[in-house]
Amino acid sequence: MIDIKITDQEFQLFQRLIYKIAGISLSDAKKVLLVGRLTKRLRQYELTSFTSYYRMLASGEHPEEMQTMVDLLTTNETYFFREPHHFDYLRREIIEKRRSAATFRVWSAASSSGEEVYSIAMTLADALGDASWEVVGSDISTQVLSKAVAGHYSLARTEGIPLGFMREYCLKGVRSHAGTFLIAPELRRKTSFHHINLMHPVTDNIGEFEVIFLRNVMIYFDPETKTKVVHNLLPRLKSGGHLIIGHSETLNGITDRVVLVKPTIYRKP
Ligand SMILES: C[S@@+](CC[C@H](N)C(=O)[O-])C[C@H]1O[C@@H](n2cnc3c(N)ncnc32)[C@H](O)[C@@H]1O
């Protein structure tokens, strides 16, 4: 099979396209990654150059292929109880100190394949007992969203899930499902997933939230995009609610509509 090469000009076309659609800034170092991920799409359509693939996407005649390209160019790495101190903070400083008895609602705004949503759900189920709660997950990638909805993972991914939660909320697969586990239905019933591109104001009917997790996605955005994305989200955060970001991210110089509580945790006045 002959390798399909990409020129610098072709790479720039894709850099501009993914930036325009998803806000993702692909550095020049990502050229090999892009070729690796998109070559199979060119072969699928029997195209011999990245220019032809770009033209096909830009023609607007294959909207589903644009989604496939977005799915392939997003980085979806995630795991259960990533940055565990955020889940401790959620329990001790937010849930245990809350004064309202209203349904406690959390949004994981770049949820990837759902591990973050279910880590939040386990924390809420355990901390809130019989009180009402909901977790909403959303992502730009439809591929990861279908994994999230299924709530079915390899047992190799359980590292990080506290043992008690594993027993309480995870159903180990047997026979043909050996080596996997399913998130318990009582947790899945209180979660929902939506296809939301954070580059646009949120029009979905997802309501308002006490807490929004926006973790490990702003690393792919330039400062202008970070501001846009945060301002698209904030109308959905209740006043007094918390916005939690990833450990290598900051909102310093990005927005003054939230105040820093401690590194990576902000509050809407
Ligand atoms: C590295 S994962 C982070 C997952 C999870 N929040 C965590 O911290 O483990 C980043 C996710 O952001 C999503 N993403 C990238 N750009 C997006 C956009 N414009 N709108 C919504 N989601 C986006 C990607 O599809 C990917 O699943």
Side-chain angles (χ1 to χ4, degrees):
M1 212 180 280
I2 305 162
D3 277 354
I4 305 173
K5 300 246 171 1
I6 192 166
T7 65
D8 288 347
Q9 285 81 0
E10 285 174 322
F11 181 61
Q12 281 166 16
L13 287 176
F14 283 92
Q15 277 178 312
R16 281 200 284 268
L17 186 61
I18 195 70
Y19 179 75
K20 188 167 150 242
I21 293 176
I24 295 170
S25 299
L26 270 192
S27 70
D28 291 344
K30 294 282 163 63
K31 202 158 142 182
V32 176
L33 175 137
L34 180 136
V35 172
R37 293 190 183 175
L38 295 187
T39 297
K40 49 185 175 287
R41 302 310 300 159
L42 273 68
R43 297 209 199 283
Q44 164 88 19
Y45 288 98
E46 300 180 351
L47 300 170
T48 51
S49 75
F50 279 89
T51 300
S52 340
Y53 184 57
Y54 177 83
R55 286 206 187 112
M56 191 186 107
L57 292 169
S59 73
E61 283 166 21
H62 298 271
E64 72 296 340
E65 186 58 29
M66 192 68 104
Q67 180 63 52
T68 303
M69 184 213 60
V70 169
D71 286 349
L72 288 169
L73 293 186
T74 49
T75 302
N76 313 114
E77 189 198 341
T78 185
Y79 34 96
F80 286 97
F81 290 91
R82 182 178 199 175
E83 300 174 47
H85 65 103
H86 284 154
F87 299 92
D88 293 338
Y89 190 90
L90 175 63
R91 171 192 289 267
R92 290 185 213 301
E93 301 299 324
I94 306 181
I95 298 175
E96 287 179 8
K97 293 188 178 165
R98 82 194 183 113
R99 270 172 276 156
S100 156
T103 299
F104 190 85
R105 306 188 73 245
V106 182
W107 179 18
S108 158
S111 65
S112 188
S113 38
E115 287 85 337
E116 183 171 272
V117 166
Y118 296 123
S119 304
I120 299 167
M122 290 182 206
T123 306
L124 299 190
D126 189 59
L128 284 165
D130 291 335
S132 165
W133 59 268
E134 280 169 17
V135 188
V136 170
S138 67
D139 204 279
I140 195 174
S141 162
T142 50
Q143 199 177 29
V144 290
L145 283 172
S146 38
K147 283 194 202 154
V149 170
H152 188 206
Y153 302 95
S154 158
L155 275 178
R157 299 196 57 81
T158 55
E159 199 187 325
I161 305 182
L163 212 58
F165 286 2
M166 195 62 214
R167 284 197 204 103
E168 191 82 17
Y169 306 120
C170 304
L171 310 173
K172 258 194 194 173
V174 289
R175 289 185 286 275
S176 62
H177 291 302
T180 68
F181 70 98
L182 194 61
I183 302 293
E186 65 268 27
L187 249 59
R188 297 218 319 279
R189 271 198 293 276
K190 293 180 177 184
T191 59
S192 61
F193 290 93
H194 300 253
H195 185 214
I196 295 177
N197 181 351
L198 299 171
M199 289 288 282
H200 306 295
V202 184
T203 52
D204 287 52
N205 190 16
I206 55 170
E208 289 190 332
F209 300 89
E210 271 75 17
V211 186
I212 299 179
F213 280 64
L214 180 69
R215 303 193 310 163
N216 305 304
V217 61
M218 283 190 290
I219 36 171
Y220 304 106
F221 299 154
D222 62 12
E224 193 190 325
T225 308
K226 284 180 194 167
T227 303
K228 179 152 110 178
V229 161
V230 170
H231 289 174
N232 284 338
L233 281 175
L234 282 181
R236 299 309 182 114
L237 184 61
K238 284 188 184 167
S239 161
H242 289 80
L243 175 64
I244 300 183
I245 65 175
H247 72 283
S248 58
E249 299 165 325
T250 174
L251 295 181
N252 203 354
I254 300 299
T255 183
D256 54 10
R257 297 187 195 169
V258 284
V259 289
L260 182 71
V261 180
K262 57 187 281 191
T264 70
I265 302 179
Y266 295 80
R267 194 157 204 252
K268 184 171 167 179

Coordinates of all heavy atoms in Angstrom, one line a residue, residues 21-24 70 74-79 82-83 108-113 116 138-141 144 196-199 213-217 219-221 229, ligand 1:
I21 N -14.1 24.4 13.6 CA -15.2 23.6 14.1 C -15.2 23.4 15.6 O -16.2 23.6 16.3 CB -15.2 22.2 13.3 CG1 -15.5 22.5 11.9 CG2 -16.3 21.3 13.9 CD1 -15.5 21.2 11.0
A22 N -14.1 22.9 16.1 CA -14.0 22.5 17.5 C -13.2 23.4 18.4 O -13.2 23.2 19.6 CB -13.4 21.1 17.5
G23 N -12.5 24.4 17.8 CA -11.7 25.3 18.6 C -10.3 24.7 18.9 O -9.5 25.3 19.6
I24 N -10.1 23.5 18.4 CA -8.8 22.8 18.7 C -7.6 23.4 17.9 O -7.7 23.5 16.7 CB -9.0 21.3 18.5 CG1 -10.1 20.7 19.4 CG2 -7.7 20.5 18.6 CD1 -10.5 19.3 19.1
V70 N -13.9 14.8 13.1 CA -13.9 15.4 14.5 C -13.6 14.3 15.5 O -12.7 14.4 16.3 CB -15.2 16.2 14.8 CG1 -15.2 16.6 16.3 CG2 -15.3 17.4 13.9
T74 N -10.1 14.4 17.8 CA -10.1 14.8 19.2 C -9.3 13.8 20.1 O -9.2 12.6 19.7 CB -11.6 14.8 19.8 OG1 -12.3 13.6 19.4 CG2 -12.3 16.0 19.2
T75 N -8.8 14.3 21.2 CA -8.1 13.4 22.1 C -9.0 13.1 23.2 O -9.5 14.0 23.9 CB -6.8 14.1 22.6 OG1 -6.0 14.4 21.4 CG2 -6.0 13.2 23.5
N76 N -9.3 11.8 23.5 CA -10.4 11.5 24.4 C -9.9 10.8 25.7 O -10.7 10.2 26.4 CB -11.4 10.6 23.7 CG -11.8 11.1 22.3 OD1 -11.5 10.5 21.3 ND2 -12.4 12.3 22.2
E77 N -8.6 10.9 25.9 CA -8.1 10.2 27.1 C -8.8 10.6 28.4 O -9.0 11.8 28.7 CB -6.6 10.5 27.2 CG -5.9 9.7 28.3 CD -4.6 10.2 28.7 OE1 -4.0 11.1 28.1 OE2 -4.2 9.8 29.8
T78 N -9.2 9.6 29.2 CA -9.9 9.9 30.4 C -9.8 8.7 31.3 O -9.5 7.6 30.8 CB -11.3 10.3 30.2 OG1 -11.9 10.7 31.4 CG2 -12.2 9.2 29.5
Y79 N -10.1 8.8 32.5 CA -10.2 7.6 33.4 C -11.0 7.9 34.6 O -11.3 9.1 34.9 CB -8.8 7.0 33.8 CG -7.7 8.0 34.0 CD1 -7.4 8.5 35.2 CD2 -7.0 8.5 32.9 CE1 -6.3 9.4 35.4 CE2 -5.9 9.4 33.1 CZ -5.6 9.8 34.3 OH -4.6 10.7 34.5
R82 N -10.2 10.6 37.9 CA -9.0 11.3 37.5 C -9.0 12.6 38.4 O -10.0 13.2 38.6 CB -9.2 11.7 36.0 CG -8.1 12.5 35.5 CD -8.4 12.8 34.0 NE -7.2 13.2 33.3 CZ -7.1 13.4 32.0 NH1 -8.2 13.3 31.2 NH2 -6.0 13.7 31.4
E83 N -7.8 12.9 38.9 CA -7.7 14.0 39.8 C -8.6 13.9 41.0 O -9.6 14.6 41.2 CB -7.9 15.4 39.1 CG -6.8 15.6 38.0 CD -7.0 16.8 37.1 OE1 -7.2 17.9 37.7 OE2 -7.0 16.7 35.9
S108 N -20.8 17.4 33.3 CA -19.4 17.2 32.8 C -19.4 17.6 31.3 O -19.9 16.9 30.5 CB -19.1 15.7 33.0 OG -18.1 15.3 32.1
A109 N -18.8 18.8 31.1 CA -19.0 19.4 29.8 C -18.0 19.0 28.7 O -18.2 19.4 27.5 CB -18.9 20.9 30.0
A110 N -17.1 18.1 29.0 CA -16.3 17.5 27.9 C -16.0 16.1 28.4 O -14.9 15.7 28.9 CB -15.0 18.2 27.6
S111 N -17.1 15.3 28.4 CA -17.1 14.1 29.2 C -16.4 12.9 28.7 O -16.2 11.9 29.3 CB -18.6 13.6 29.5 OG -19.2 13.3 28.2
S112 N -16.0 13.0 27.4 CA -15.4 11.9 26.7 C -16.2 10.6 26.9 O -17.5 10.7 26.8 CB -13.9 11.7 27.2 OG -13.3 10.7 26.4
S113 N -15.7 9.5 27.1 CA -16.4 8.2 27.1 C -17.2 7.9 28.4 O -17.6 6.8 28.7 CB -15.5 7.0 26.8 OG -14.2 7.2 27.4
E116 N -15.8 10.2 33.7 CA -15.9 11.4 34.6 C -17.3 11.5 35.1 O -17.6 11.7 36.3 CB -15.5 12.7 33.9 CG -15.5 13.9 34.7 CD -14.9 15.1 34.0 OE1 -13.7 15.3 34.1 OE2 -15.6 15.8 33.3
S138 N -21.6 15.7 28.2 CA -21.7 16.1 26.8 C -20.3 16.1 26.2 O -19.3 16.2 26.9 CB -22.3 17.5 26.7 OG -21.4 18.5 27.3
D139 N -20.2 16.0 24.9 CA -19.0 16.0 24.2 C -19.2 16.3 22.7 O -20.4 16.2 22.3 CB -18.3 14.6 24.3 CG -16.8 14.7 24.1 OD1 -16.3 14.8 23.0 OD2 -16.0 14.7 25.1
I140 N -18.2 16.7 22.0 CA -18.3 17.0 20.6 C -18.2 15.7 19.8 O -18.7 15.7 18.7 CB -17.3 18.0 20.1 CG1 -17.6 18.6 18.8 CG2 -15.9 17.4 20.1 CD1 -16.7 19.7 18.3
S141 N -17.6 14.7 20.4 CA -17.4 13.4 19.7 C -18.6 12.5 19.9 O -18.8 12.1 21.0 CB -16.1 12.8 20.1 OG -16.1 11.4 19.7
V144 N -17.3 8.8 21.3 CA -17.2 8.6 22.7 C -18.5 8.7 23.4 O -18.7 8.0 24.4 CB -16.1 9.6 23.4 CG1 -14.7 9.3 22.9 CG2 -16.5 11.0 23.2
I196 N -22.8 18.1 22.5 CA -22.7 19.6 22.6 C -21.3 20.1 22.2 O -20.3 19.6 22.8 CB -23.1 20.1 24.0 CG1 -24.6 19.8 24.3 CG2 -22.8 21.6 24.2 CD1 -25.0 20.1 25.7
N197 N -21.3 21.0 21.2 CA -20.0 21.6 20.9 C -19.9 22.9 21.7 O -20.7 23.8 21.5 CB -20.1 21.9 19.4 CG -18.8 22.6 18.9 OD1 -17.9 22.9 19.7 ND2 -18.6 22.7 17.6
L198 N -18.9 23.0 22.5 CA -18.7 24.1 23.4 C -18.4 25.4 22.7 O -18.3 26.5 23.4 CB -17.6 23.8 24.5 CG -18.0 22.5 25.4 CD1 -16.8 22.2 26.2 CD2 -19.2 22.8 26.3
M199 N -18.1 25.3 21.4 CA -17.8 26.5 20.7 C -19.0 27.4 20.5 O -18.9 28.6 20.1 CB -17.3 26.2 19.3 CG -15.9 25.6 19.3 SD -14.7 26.8 19.7 CE -14.6 27.6 18.1
F213 N -18.0 20.5 35.5 CA -16.6 20.0 35.3 C -16.2 20.4 33.9 O -17.0 20.0 33.0 CB -16.6 18.5 35.5 CG -16.5 18.0 36.9 CD1 -17.6 18.2 37.8 CD2 -15.4 17.3 37.4 CE1 -17.5 17.8 39.1 CE2 -15.3 16.9 38.7 CZ -16.4 17.1 39.6
L214 N -15.2 21.1 33.7 CA -14.6 21.4 32.4 C -13.2 21.1 32.4 O -12.3 22.0 32.5 CB -14.9 22.9 32.1 CG -14.4 23.4 30.7 CD1 -15.2 22.8 29.6 CD2 -14.4 24.9 30.6
R215 N -12.9 19.8 32.5 CA -11.5 19.4 32.8 C -10.8 18.8 31.6 O -11.3 18.0 30.8 CB -11.5 18.3 33.9 CG -12.2 18.8 35.2 CD -12.0 18.0 36.4 NE -12.3 16.6 36.1 CZ -11.8 15.6 36.9 NH1 -11.1 15.8 38.0 NH2 -12.1 14.3 36.6
N216 N -9.6 19.2 31.4 CA -8.7 18.6 30.4 C -9.2 18.8 29.0 O -9.0 17.9 28.2 CB -8.3 17.2 30.8 CG -7.8 17.1 32.2 OD1 -6.8 17.7 32.5 ND2 -8.5 16.4 33.1
V217 N -9.8 19.9 28.7 CA -10.2 20.2 27.3 C -9.6 21.5 26.9 O -9.3 21.7 25.7 CB -11.8 20.1 27.1 CG1 -12.5 21.1 28.0 CG2 -12.1 20.3 25.6
I219 N -6.9 22.7 27.4 CA -5.5 22.5 27.0 C -5.3 22.5 25.5 O -4.3 22.8 24.9 CB -4.8 21.2 27.5 CG1 -5.8 20.1 27.6 CG2 -4.2 21.4 28.9 CD1 -5.1 18.7 27.9
Y220 N -6.4 22.2 24.8 CA -6.4 22.2 23.3 C -6.8 23.5 22.7 O -6.8 23.6 21.5 CB -7.3 21.0 22.8 CG -7.0 19.7 23.4 CD1 -7.8 19.1 24.4 CD2 -5.8 19.0 23.0 CE1 -7.5 17.9 24.9 CE2 -5.5 17.8 23.6 CZ -6.3 17.3 24.6 OH -6.0 16.1 25.1
F221 N -7.2 24.5 23.5 CA -7.7 25.7 23.0 C -6.7 26.9 23.2 O -5.9 26.9 24.2 CB -9.0 26.1 23.8 CG -10.1 25.1 23.6 CD1 -11.1 25.0 24.6 CD2 -10.2 24.3 22.5 CE1 -12.2 24.1 24.5 CE2 -11.3 23.4 22.4 CZ -12.3 23.3 23.4
V229 N -15.5 29.6 25.1 CA -16.0 28.4 25.7 C -16.6 28.6 27.1 O -17.7 28.2 27.4 CB -15.0 27.2 25.6 CG1 -15.3 26.1 26.5 CG2 -14.8 26.7 24.2
Ligands
LIG1 C1 -9.0 14.7 27.1 S1 -10.7 14.5 27.1 C2 -11.1 15.0 28.8 C3 -12.2 14.1 29.4 C4 -12.5 14.4 30.9 N1 -13.1 15.7 31.0 C5 -11.3 14.2 31.7 O1 -10.8 15.1 32.3 O2 -10.9 13.0 31.9 C6 -11.2 16.0 26.2 C7 -12.6 15.8 25.5 O3 -13.0 17.1 25.0 C8 -13.8 16.9 23.9 N2 -13.8 18.2 23.1 C9 -12.8 18.8 22.4 N3 -13.3 19.9 21.8 C10 -14.6 20.0 22.2 C11 -15.6 21.0 21.9 N4 -15.4 22.1 21.1 N5 -16.8 20.8 22.4 C12 -17.1 19.8 23.2 N6 -16.2 18.8 23.5 C13 -14.9 19.0 23.0 C14 -13.1 15.8 23.2 O4 -13.9 15.1 22.2 C15 -12.6 14.9 24.3 O5 -13.5 13.8 24.6

